[in-house]
Amino acid sequence: MDEIQTQYQFMEEAAGYLRDIESEIGHSLRAIVVTFGCQMNERDSEKLRGILFRIGYGEAQSEEEADLIIYNTCTVRENADVRVFGRLGVLKSLKREKPHLIIGLCGCMMQDGETADLVKKKYPHVDLIFGTHNQHKLAEYLVKVFREKGSFEIWSESGGIYENLPVSRKYPFKSGLNIMYGCNNFCSYCIVPYVRGRERSRKLEDILREAEGLCADGVKEIMLLGQNVNSYGRGLDPPASFPELLGELQKIEGLKRIRFMSSHPKDLSDELMEAMAGNDKVCRHIHLAMQSGSTEILKKMNRHYSKDDYLEVIDKLRRAMPDIAITTDIIVGFPGETEEDVCQTIDAAERARFDGAFTFIYSKRHGTPAAKMQDDTPKEVIQERFDRVLSVVRKTAEEQAKRFEGAVLPVLVESVNRSDSKMVTGRIPQNHTVHLKGSADLIGNILNVRLDRSMGFYYIGSEA
Ligand code: SF4
């Protein structure tokens, strides 16, 4: 019996325990998976929910009404850890009110063994702890909790790729789809390679089978997920490549839109740009983390490209796809960063003219090479530099947004507008948000919409 069949057996066994508890306490049990962090975590949470619902849990809408709470954690920056520690206190009082409540923590923060040990010691009300490499064993660990009141297991290495587990998707019309796991780039500030393991790609046929299944199920837009999708296929036997994958996905009839993240600039080849430009289903948006505009800092970050290399990739992308939107990540305050380095970053941002940027102040992650680098730049100096960079990227993003004003573009309607129930909200292929008059029955449809007014970071539109 293979590992997946074994896990389905544990799901049956856990279902038995669930029925016993339900008849004991007189009501059906509900679960909630709270996701911190990136889209990779969102997709992992859909798999965790799939296992829990297969066991027989209902879906709780809040932690207060849940009988099982799982935090799928993130550790990419310090504040992600702080948020989880902040919540653990609240969970303690919830458990006091509901003794049969099960509390579990998994994901990147727990994959760091020291942090997992700390939680185990300091927060005994946490019943279940596992990492990023063994999430497929949730049912097995739950059986252990039912039997022995606790389960704690972190795998130091990835055990492989586990296919065909139950999944419960958040959206009927769009879905994330993992194409690979882990990262081999070891950017000096980044904790991801230490908590997500070495790079490993899924087989091409497994990805295509999943994509066909999603489209048969009504999905129109797929977000291909990986830490560095541009290196998809390395080491696969039979070999495969990201451009090849995009070409195969284009053949799937029901699939209307392909998005992907994250891309590493050093691996964005001319071949990939051609494949994107020649594929009418690839959305005209790319998130291409620059991190810094200073070649000196990029070297210290171990990013393997210079300022000029990065700007050249941007130029090539715009020549190949003039209507492409480009967003990025920028870190300010990396150890040893000087005023001159920040000026280089501002100059690069002005020349790149990003459509949007996530701008962060450097967060030391223990265990990374950058954590050992000295820096005594005062916080207020870093904050002032951060504010300058932010104002430049905001200004160019607002100017860039104007270029689609008046255009008619396809919008995938995703939800009813939060602040006006007579409006709906969706996205153009360039990933900008659009609000237009409409009702919930439009959700999941792709409409041709005229972008009447740019409001800076979103548009007001009308059906064309
Ligand atoms: S490419 Fe660099 S920043 Fe991105 S996940 Fe890998 S190590 Fe981290």
Side-chain angles (χ1 to χ4, degrees):
M1 194 182 323
D2 71 13
E3 174 63 8
I4 297 304
Q5 289 163 323
T6 305
Q7 290 310 316
Y8 274 95
Q9 274 210 332
F10 277 116
M11 291 177 214
E12 297 313 314
E13 194 177 343
Y17 281 101
L18 210 69
R19 286 191 292 276
D20 295 347
I21 298 166
E22 287 178 337
S23 52
E24 210 179 289
I25 61 176
H27 68 76
S28 59
L29 297 180
R30 289 172 290 180
I32 189 166
V33 179
V34 181
T35 309
F36 298 82
C38 67
Q39 295 200 38
M40 243 77 70
N41 260 16
E42 288 286 355
R43 184 61 179 164
D44 288 347
S45 292
E46 292 184 336
K47 294 173 185 168
L48 295 171
R49 270 196 293 275
I51 293 171
L52 294 173
F53 300 159
R54 169 85 186 212
I55 290 170
Y57 278 97
E59 181 155 23
Q61 299 311 316
S62 70
E63 292 170 41
E64 287 65 29
E65 68 177 48
D67 305 285
L68 166 68
I69 300 172
I70 293 191
Y71 278 5
N72 186 8
T73 64
C74 165
T75 192
V76 78
R77 273 174 290 281
E78 191 183 358
N79 57 9
D81 292 9
V82 172
R83 280 180 63 208
V84 169
F85 282 122
R87 290 293 305 169
L88 286 178
V90 177
L91 294 183
K92 190 173 182 180
S93 47
L94 275 183
K95 185 133 183 176
R96 218 175 284 124
E97 292 153 29
K98 202 188 278 186
H100 73 271
L101 173 65
I102 295 174
I103 297 170
L105 266 66
C106 69
C108 295
M109 188 181 159
M110 290 306 107
Q111 187 58 37
D112 172 63
E114 277 176 38
T115 310
D117 286 338
L118 176 80
V119 170
K120 192 176 175 204
K121 275 198 212 88
K122 284 188 67 183
Y123 303 91
H125 57 285
V126 175
D127 310 286
L128 174 58
I129 294 178
F130 52 110
T132 57
H133 300 316
N134 52 348
Q135 298 195 356
H136 63 286
K137 293 172 88 69
L138 171 57
E140 181 177 340
Y141 298 145
L142 267 180
V143 167
K144 212 155 170 266
V145 171
F146 290 134
R147 278 193 201 136
E148 305 158 21
K149 302 286 171 252
S151 170
F152 178 98
E153 188 163 305
I154 307 292
W155 288 8
S156 58
E157 287 297 318
S158 148
I161 294 175
Y162 300 94
E163 302 283 356
N164 307 321
L165 283 161
V167 176
S168 166
R169 277 202 328 274
K170 206 168 170 185
Y171 302 98
F173 52 86
K174 68 174 182 175
S175 179
L177 195 167
N178 296 98
I179 64 170
M180 59 198 297
Y181 302 91
C183 186
N184 291 353
N185 288 316
F186 290 94
C187 302
S188 62
Y189 52 83
C190 185
I191 193 78
V192 173
Y194 306 92
V195 292
R196 287 274 178 184
R198 291 295 64 65
E199 206 171 83
R200 54 233 189 256
S201 294
R202 293 178 66 195
K203 291 200 188 88
L204 186 61
E205 74 257 25
D206 290 333
I207 297 171
L208 295 177
R209 189 182 319 113
E210 185 175 348
E212 278 148 9
L214 289 169
C215 293
D217 209 18
V219 165
K220 292 192 175 105
E221 178 178 295
I222 286 178
M223 168 66 86
L224 305 175
L225 298 169
Q227 305 296 350
N228 176 16
V229 293
N230 304 352
S231 58
Y232 168 74
R234 275 193 203 143
L236 261 189
D237 182 22
S241 72
F242 193 49
E244 185 188 351
L245 172 60
L246 292 177
E248 290 301 316
L249 287 169
Q250 187 180 22
K251 298 172 186 162
I252 300 178
E253 206 157 308
L255 182 57
K256 304 298 179 204
R257 293 179 158 190
I258 303 169
R259 297 187 184 278
F260 55 83
M261 73 184 303
S262 296
S263 290
H264 196 299
K266 73 175 173 59
D267 297 317
L268 193 54
S269 64
D270 294 356
E271 186 204 356
L272 177 53
M273 289 188 216
E274 262 163 55
M276 291 171 67
N279 189 324
D280 59 358
K281 294 185 179 179
V282 171
C283 287
R284 294 300 183 249
H285 166 240
I286 189 164
H287 187 75
L288 199 64
M290 178 176 80
Q291 303 298 15
S292 173
S294 154
T295 298
E296 276 317 300
I297 294 294
L298 288 169
K299 259 195 221 116
K300 288 184 182 161
M301 286 177 163
N302 193 32
R303 292 288 287 173
H304 298 283
Y305 55 84
S306 68
K307 175 186 179 182
D308 293 344
D309 297 338
Y310 183 86
L311 293 173
E312 193 191 334
V313 169
I314 298 283
D315 288 351
K316 279 185 178 173
L317 276 168
R318 291 211 168 107
R319 278 201 300 277
M321 293 159 277
D323 59 343
I324 196 165
I326 301 175
T327 55
T328 196
D329 296 332
I330 298 175
I331 295 175
V332 177
F334 186 82
E337 187 177 60
T338 63
E339 178 56 25
E340 174 49 27
D341 293 321
V342 176
C343 292
Q344 291 293 325
T345 296
I346 289 173
D347 178 59
E350 281 168 347
R351 289 163 59 185
R353 300 191 59 68
F354 295 113
D355 292 82
F358 298 100
T359 311
F360 308 98
I361 289 187
Y362 168 73
S363 173
K364 186 195 273 191
R365 303 281 69 211
H366 83 94
T368 62
K372 299 192 188 77
M373 297 178 188
Q374 292 312 309
D375 190 81
D376 49 17
T377 311
K379 273 200 169 47
E380 48 286 355
V381 171
I382 293 175
Q383 186 63 50
E384 186 274 334
R385 290 171 175 173
F386 173 85
D387 297 343
R388 261 189 289 141
V389 172
L390 193 60
S391 70
V392 169
V393 290
R394 280 205 171 131
K395 183 168 164 292
T396 49
E398 247 178 88
E399 289 160 4
Q400 282 289 74
K402 288 247 177 290
R403 74 186 192 282
F404 297 118
E405 210 168 49
V408 173
L409 288 168
V411 168
L412 172 57
V413 178
E414 298 194 358
S415 61
V416 171
N417 183 288
R418 269 194 237 125
S419 45
D420 180 345
S421 59
K422 293 192 194 61
M423 302 272 282
V424 291
T425 297
R427 290 177 187 275
I428 55 176
Q430 284 75 7
N431 211 33
H432 295 75
T433 301
V434 183
H435 306 300
L436 66 150
K437 280 206 178 67
S439 51
D441 59 321
L442 293 175
I443 294 174
N445 292 321
I446 298 179
L447 310 175
N448 285 327
V449 174
R450 178 170 287 103
L451 307 183
D452 300 316
R453 265 196 336 280
S454 166
M455 310 300 283
F457 298 103
Y458 64 90
Y459 294 92
I460 301 296
S462 54
E463 210 174 332

